[in-house]
Amino acid sequence: MDLHIFDKDLKEQTNKNKIFIGWDSEEINTFLENNKKELRLKYLNIIHSIISKNSSKFKYLKLKEINLLKMSLINEKNPFKSEAIFDCLKLLTIELIVKKKKIKNIFYHGKKYNLDKSLKNFCSQININYYKKKLIFFNSNFKFVFFLKGSLFFIIQFIKNFKLKSNLKKFSTISIFSYFVHLKSVTGSKFNSNLWGNLTKYLNSKKKNINWFHFYVPSNQIKKAQIANLMQKKFNLNKYENHNFINSFLTNLNFIKSYYFFLIFCSRNFFSTKVNYNFFQNKFSKTNFYFFLKEDFFSSLFGVTLIYNIMNILTFDKLLKEIPRQKYGIYIIENQSWEYCFIKLWKKYNHGKIIAYFNSSIRFWDLRYLKKKNEFYALDENPDLYLINSKIFKLEAKKIGYPLKKLFLVEALRYNKLTPALKIKKNRKILIVGDILFNQTDNLLKFINKITVKLNSYKFYLKPHPTMTYKSINIFKTKYPYLKITSINSDKFKNFEFVICSNGTSANLDCLAQRLNFCSIKPYNSLNLYPIEKYQKIFQVKDHKDLINRIKKPQYFKDIKIFEKAKNLNKIQKILNKI
């Protein structure tokens, strides 16, 4: 049996002795989804074995006793940062097809350099024939380019952080760590974050003194550090709140140290014979992810990711050394690289309980949340408690190995105030909710753009992700001039007749909680990152015709209980009072 692989989707072809498949086709997506449990587990095993094996080989990649490989993009497994993870999963899918269909020859008819190299390497490992049918040009990723990108990132961060002001208020013994985004208002005098719902109001009512530590991230809501400083100053008029920017704890001296360590690690990595495709060899698969994950690999060893991780280690080291011993700390868990060093240093300086709060959902393909079972029991790398906002997601957490004794069901802070819409407004307004990724949002808009002629009586509004830059938003405004840009909070989604969400945005859950007339659109050549697997078939549209029908003929559905809700936050109160 021969396997013929093309870049694009193909019209149906049949042949007894040949299988035809498009790398970017719905067919390979379907095969991946049909075998998703097996392939997800294999990916987890591969990454875990790669990091474990190479941690001993790269012993010098440590700062403050923190393993920089464990903070790498490879180990983070973040599909929102590393789109090439999808290619790795498709490569594992090809491996499974080869095994099940007893493939003897693979023919590649496309022009993707990384795919060509990956297939060639795979075929040589399993001793089957490989043929490529087209000339493929060399795709270079020079290490020095990544070094320059890292250096430029360092300069930009220095300029950005230099303008952030530190706060001199006395620190309390309870801290919350978060991002300075998703604020309900930038003009109000009180701190009110959509991420934390009415937690701030509850804490103020109980007269609890809280340190709020925020990552300042320039966004379409808070573009400049000067605006962030003014807001911080206003928020700190509240005697129960002490707002600080995490970034401001990186002093000028530590900035210089960051770049010094960056140069040291880069120079050692440049001349290391271990920085090659052998890094990705493993016992779980004959595939090798080097060509697909090379950019993530180089960024983690020579580029932006390396310098960013170094800066975060020095920042949290200073912050957690200086503040008084904390009774407990709370953060939103996303298993990003900074969380790893944060937990390590929190425990190094003997602070109290560290609590991870699941702010949204646990998606099947959001690989950040996956660990090997034994990794969950490393005390210095994991939080002491997990607070989760839904029985559905608690079950998912249990399935993937989170210790049940540490899992506690609490109110969904982000969704606690959302109530079902009484009726659907007939105002011919359609809201499009964008993705955190520019490309995913652009693909969504391209899909919708093809049917705007048939919906010419409707007005279209775009709500970009809060962290999307003005530059990206202006690209959309130029490309799709009929769009009106809005930055409304999710409780205002009710003011639209129909809402279209990108497949991966958590706004799908906001729409479900409010029983809105909405749908999501999944680009066929992408991982299925719908926030709640149970309802994806109901609310995902199949094609343009399906989308038009849903807009013009609303679907009505009963209340769907997803989240834990309570005005007085009884469950959270109970847990925090016990600590």
Side-chain angles (χ1 to χ4, degrees), residues 63 93 136 158 257 263 270 291 367 482 540 547 552:
L63 183 61
T93 303
I136 298 172
F158 181 80
K257 283 183 179 179
L263 292 175
F270 267 121
F291 297 101
L367 305 174
Y482 54 84
Q540 280 179 344
L547 176 57
K552 294 186 173 180

Side-chain angles (χ1 to χ4, degrees), residues 98 147 188 207 287 309 335 353 489 550 556:
V98 168
F147 170 75
K207 299 181 180 179
T287 62
N309 288 338
N335 282 340
K353 299 286 185 186
N489 294 314
R550 288 187 188 229
Y556 296 94

Side-chain angles (χ1 to χ4, degrees), residues 62-64 254 256-267 306-307 310 314:
K62 281 189 176 182
L63 183 61
K64 303 285 182 182
N254 276 342
I256 295 167
K257 283 183 179 179
S258 294
Y259 198 69
Y260 169 76
F261 287 123
F262 177 64
L263 292 175
I264 295 294
F265 290 132
C266 280
S267 61
L306 177 61
I307 185 68
I310 291 169
L314 295 181

